[in-house]
Each structure stands twice: as C-alpha cells, then as structure tokens.
Amino acid sequence: MGRSLDRATTLRLGRTVSAQAYGQIVTVVVQIALVPLLLHAWGPGTYGAWLLLSAVPFYLTFSDFGFTYVAKNAMVMAVSAGQRDAATRVFHSIFALLCVAAPLLLGLSALIIIAVDVPDVLGADAVTPTTARGTVLLLVVNVLLYQFFLLVCAGIRSENRPASEAIWAASARLLEGVAVATAAVAGGGLVAAAAAMVGARLLALLGAYRWLRRLSGWLRLGVRAADRETLEGLWRPAIAYMLLPLGQALLIQAPVLVVGGALGAVGTVTFAISRTITRMGMAAINMINNSVTAEYAALAGSGDHQRAGRLLRVQAGVTLCIILVYAVTVLVAAPVVLPLLTHGAVAAAYPFLLLLVGSVAAEMIWSSLFTPIAAVNRHGTATVIFLIVAAATVAIAGPLTERFGLNGTAAALLLAHAAMIPITLLAGNYRAR
C-alpha cells in the first residue's frame, strides 16, 4: 500500500486491518469456547434451548437497523469537511430516534412474549415458559442496548478512528462471552446468562461513551441538535442498507431449502459443507472492506477524489490477490479437506465446486466495488437491485436444481453474484475514475 498511499493513510489502514482481525479472532474464540463450557454447565437440553432462544437476538447483535450505519458515514464525511455541527445533528437525531423507538420496541416485544407460548413456538421445551420469556425479553433488551452502542461507535468513527471502533466492538463481544460463561459456570440458568449479557453490554456502552468524551469533547449524547430534516435525509439510505442483509439471507438460506426439497438430505449436506468451505475467503475480503469504509467517507467529506481513486486502485489490487490465493487454496485443499471433515461422507464434486468458487469470487469482487458506494450513502439503487436479483435467483434455483442437481444451484448463485459486478460498476460510476 505504501507505494500508492501516503504514510499516514497506510498506517491508519494497517491499524484498522489489525483491529478487524482481532474482531474475527474474538468472534471465533467466543463461539468455540462457549460450546464446551455451556454444555458442561447446563447439559444438552438446556444448552439447546439457549441456542434456540438466542438465535434471532444473537444474529441482530452482529448487524444494525441501517440508521447507525448511515450515521457513521454521514458523521465521518461531516467532520472531514470541517462541519462538526452537522455531525452533531446526525448524532443527536439518531439518539432521539432510538430513545423513542427502543421503549416502543421493548413494549411490543414484551406483549408478544407474554401472549405466545415461547418454548412451544421456538421448540425450546427443555425450559419452563417463565424462564423462556424472561430469557428472550432480556435478550431483546440487549439488542436495543446494542443500537445505542453502535451510535457511540459512530461517534468514535467520526474522527476517522475505525480501528478504535473495531476494537471496542470486538472487546464488547468478548466481554459478553465472558459474562455468559461466568454466569453459567457459577450455576446460573438461562435468565442469569441473559442478564449477564445485558450487564456486559451496558458496561461496554458506558465505557465506550466515556472514551468518546475524552476523544471528542465536542460530541455528547443529547437531543438538542436533533431535527426532522436530518432524519429525513438519513432514512432512505438506512432503509436501502437494510435490503443488503435481506438479499444476503435469501442467497445463503434459500438455496439450502431448495436443495433439500429437490435432492434430499444427502444433497443438502454436500451443498452446505461445500459452501461453508468455499465461503471462508469472504472473511478476508470483509476485513479489507470494513477497514477502508471510513477512509472513503473521510476522503469524500474532504473532497479529495484523487486519493480516493488511489485507495480504490489499491483495494482492487489487494482484492484480486486475495481472490487468486483463495481460489487456488480451495481448489487444491477441498478434495482433501471435505472427506476429512465428513469422514468420507462428502467428496469434492465437479463442476459443482468450480461453480461455487466462481460464485464466491464474483461476490468478493462486487462487495469490494460496493464498499466505496456504501461509504458515502449512495447505495440505494444497488441494494434494491441486489434484492431483486436475489429473489430472482431463488426463483430459478429450483428448476435448475431439479434438472442439473447441485450444479444448477451453484450456477444460479454464480449468475446472481456475476450480475452484481456490472451493477456496482454502474452505481459507482467507476469509469469516471
């Protein structure tokens, strides 16, 4: 990177990539370490109930509802342009929105949780209805606290400190994992574990906000500068950004159901395990994309299009190198790894494996092209088209799978991700760069 970017940018990106790597390590370690600890403390039945009750809330803590993401971008651009008043308006407007929405969502969630038989609906019959309701309600509280935590992270990023933001996010996740493990090992049940998560998230929120106040004395939580016009300018890109995980969920979950219906259990296992192996390369691309997002926003705010162009070229070069290494590694290792992981039940199949690798490579390319667009909140058109493409892919995946087997499923995914490459090129107007 040093040949194309200035030293300060290179060092900042290096710190951010390191922080993103720390986040990946924390996520993997927490997920792996909690399994034996919770199984030992609770037993299979109660642990299974925890997995069922926490599935949706746990997923929501890895995402946001769109507003905090676009707020991060807007605040970075405003601060880089020397407009701290504009950044404060965004910060206060989103805080005001959360202060109104969070109690409403909590109340609605409580009514639903009380009205339904939670263990029966979620299949968590190993725990009592009271335990299930208390656990889910506390997990909902944790999700809502997470939205405020993301807003504080937006404040940290506003000074173009994405590495600090990533470290706080990962450390908060680590603290939650430690809290859950401690509660379980100490003899607590599901409610105690969920309460420990809430306590850990609240502690992380207060710690991050205190750190933000020391970093940026001009920025504090409040509603004084909140205004309707600012929210109206944010809601369209926020809603548009929410379409991205929806489209991704369609392309990740729906093919499993399609394969299961057309090819049965054996085909489902082969598809799921092969796709898990082939998608491992996305972690590296996501680290790079997350690391450069704030940089693109800062350069857009300062109007430095020349440096943004250089950053894009560097990102493209790194992405292509990662894709090359990824493709060669998977194609060489898969024939050995798949049988080892499945005790010979799943073997590398061709051209199915080649099509899967091609689809992931295409996803790596278009997600990298999408990053500079999303960083400046100009992603609306691309995400709408992506959702349409994802829905169309699910529609054609069924007939293709019935006729061509797993090759048809993989071909449908390849077509979807390949189609997004020209779409993101046009959305980003990259020809002008």
Side-chain angles (χ1 to χ4, degrees):
M1 289 187 182
R3 296 180 181 178
S4 301
L5 302 173
D6 61 87
R7 179 177 174 80
T9 302
T10 302
L11 290 174
R12 186 165 53 248
L13 289 175
R15 288 193 296 268
T16 306
V17 171
S18 299
Q20 292 289 338
Y22 164 64
Q24 293 287 336
I25 293 171
V26 165
T27 299
V28 171
V29 168
V30 169
Q31 289 177 342
I32 293 175
L34 282 181
V35 174
L37 286 172
L38 298 185
L39 272 173
H40 175 74
W42 290 336
T46 303
Y47 177 59
W50 170 260
L51 293 178
L52 291 168
L53 296 174
S54 63
V56 174
F58 184 74
Y59 173 77
L60 291 176
T61 59
F62 282 87
S63 61
D64 60 45
F65 299 145
F67 280 96
T68 49
Y69 178 83
V70 299
K72 289 178 183 180
N73 299 334
M75 291 179 67
V76 171
M77 288 188 285
V79 173
S80 297
Q83 300 172 355
R84 286 184 171 179
D85 289 345
T88 302
R89 283 197 300 273
V90 172
F91 197 63
H92 284 191
S93 296
I94 298 299
F95 181 66
L97 176 66
L98 291 177
C99 287
V100 173
L104 293 176
L105 289 173
L106 180 59
L108 179 61
S109 300
L111 290 175
I112 295 173
I113 291 168
I114 292 172
V116 303
D117 187 342
V118 176
D120 183 61
V121 171
L122 297 178
D125 52 6
V127 296
T128 65
T130 300
T131 297
R133 291 188 178 105
T135 301
V136 173
L137 187 60
L138 284 168
L139 292 174
V140 170
V141 172
N142 189 54
V143 170
L144 296 175
L145 283 175
Y146 182 67
Q147 300 309 309
F148 288 94
F149 179 78
L150 287 174
L151 180 59
V152 172
C153 286
I156 294 173
R157 185 187 288 196
S158 67
E159 299 273 17
N160 199 9
R161 289 177 176 262
S164 300
E165 176 203 0
I167 289 172
W168 271 105
S171 299
R173 191 166 297 139
L174 177 61
L175 184 62
E176 278 189 344
V178 171
V180 170
T182 301
V185 172
L190 302 191
V191 173
M197 286 185 71
V198 172
R201 178 58 62 182
L202 185 58
L203 184 63
L205 171 60
L206 294 175
Y209 181 61
R210 183 176 180 181
W211 192 87
L212 170 64
R213 292 290 295 132
R214 290 202 303 267
L215 172 70
S216 304
W218 56 274
L219 189 62
R220 66 176 63 198
L221 290 172
V223 297
R224 176 185 54 80
D227 67 80
R228 181 177 177 180
E229 183 178 353
T230 299
L231 281 177
E232 288 176 348
L234 294 175
W235 79 268
R236 290 183 187 276
I239 297 300
Y241 186 77
M242 290 176 65
L243 300 181
L244 182 64
L246 182 57
Q248 290 171 332
L250 279 175
L251 291 182
I252 291 174
Q253 299 299 332
V256 177
L257 301 177
V258 169
V259 171
L263 305 178
V266 174
T268 303
V269 171
T270 301
F271 175 78
I273 294 177
S274 298
R275 190 182 59 177
T276 298
I277 296 297
T278 56
R279 283 189 60 83
M280 290 180 67
M282 284 302 301
I285 292 297
N286 289 335
M287 279 201 318
I288 299 299
N289 293 345
N290 292 335
S291 298
V292 299
T293 298
E295 201 67 37
Y296 280 120
L299 293 172
S302 63
D304 195 338
H305 302 297
Q306 185 176 5
R307 286 175 62 195
R310 288 202 300 269
L311 178 59
L312 178 62
R313 289 190 291 274
V314 170
Q315 183 192 2
V318 172
T319 298
L320 291 176
C321 289
I322 291 175
I323 290 174
L324 179 61
V325 172
Y326 148 79
V328 171
T329 301
V330 171
L331 292 176
V332 171
V336 177
V337 172
L338 283 173
L340 283 176
L341 287 177
T342 62
H343 302 286
V346 176
Y350 301 92
F352 168 60
L353 186 63
L354 292 173
L355 292 169
L356 270 186
V357 170
S359 70
V360 176
E363 185 179 1
M364 290 177 170
I365 293 172
W366 82 256
S367 64
S368 297
L369 294 171
F370 178 79
T371 300
I373 306 170
V376 295
N377 293 339
R378 292 196 297 108
H379 52 268
T381 301
T383 53
V384 170
I385 296 176
F386 175 55
L387 184 60
I388 295 172
V389 168
T393 301
V394 173
I396 67 172
L400 287 175
T401 302
E402 290 179 358
R403 182 169 182 178
F404 301 106
L406 291 176
N407 295 331
T409 314
L413 292 172
L414 175 57
L415 288 172
H417 292 300
M420 287 303 300
I421 295 175
I423 290 168
T424 47
L425 281 170
L426 290 172
N429 192 26
Y430 289 112
R431 289 181 61 187
R433 304 184 188 188

